[in-house]
Amino acid sequence: MLSIIVRLDIIFEAISFFISLAIFAVALAAARRTGSRSLTLLALGFLLMALAMFIRVALTSWALNFPMTTPPRLRIFPTVVLQIQELVYSVVRISGYVVFLYLYSSYPSSKKEAEGLFAVAPVIIYNPLFEAVSALLLVFVVYQLARNRVYGGSGYVLLGFSLLLFSHLLFLLLPLSFAIYFLAQFTQLLSLILFLTAVLSVLLDGQRL
């Protein structure tokens, strides 16, 4: 059962990795076209998220497929790798959220300044400290975005960060029911799709972020 849970987590993380990578590529292309610093920071944030997801997928897959024929004294390697992976994953992904927080906390404070801004397994997969810190950072990001909605911009970004925040809050409730895991993953994937929609609207239609 635990093996199935971990494999499901790898699949969800892999899907999220490819979507985050697509967001990074589109946001970077839009930043080069418009010269927008905000889009460059957005691209950097999603690159860090994609890197964190890649690390989790690669190291967890390696640990899951570690040969059991290995001498007993070496069988601790997968556990050590998973613990290191969780730490690195948390640090890198939270770094991405810090970039988002910096981006939206330094958002232009007037409409005139804003006119040039463009859019854009329980024991293994559950880390309550990471989820709590991520949720706290995203609360500030969502607050800044909501406060700055008066200056216009894409509603996809605000909704995307709101859903991302909600997914971390759901992950905090994972001990209550494993069914929450699927809802949290679905919410996270939906948030990434909204981010991708936002940056595509910049690249293709020149809409504001």
Side-chain angles (χ1 to χ4, degrees), residues 138-204:
L138 287 170
V139 163
F140 288 106
V141 173
V142 170
Y143 168 74
Q144 290 292 340
L145 276 169
R147 195 176 70 170
N148 290 311
R149 274 292 289 162
V150 67
Y151 305 125
S154 173
Y156 291 125
V157 175
L158 175 58
L159 183 57
F161 276 112
S162 298
L163 288 176
L164 193 57
L165 167 60
F166 186 53
S167 73
H168 283 291
L169 294 175
L170 286 173
F171 276 120
L172 279 172
L173 300 177
L174 189 58
L176 299 179
S177 171
F178 186 67
I180 295 175
Y181 169 80
F182 295 100
L183 179 58
Q185 288 286 7
F186 175 77
T187 304
Q188 179 174 273
L189 289 175
L190 184 57
S191 73
L192 293 175
I193 291 172
L194 286 170
F195 289 127
L196 183 58
T197 302
V199 294
L200 279 172
S201 69
V202 179
L203 187 64
L204 300 178

Side-chain angles (χ1 to χ4, degrees), residues 9 33 38 54 59 97 106 126 194 201 204:
D9 190 61
R33 174 178 294 183
S38 64
F54 176 78
L59 294 183
Y97 291 161
S106 59
Y126 177 63
L194 286 170
S201 69
L204 300 178

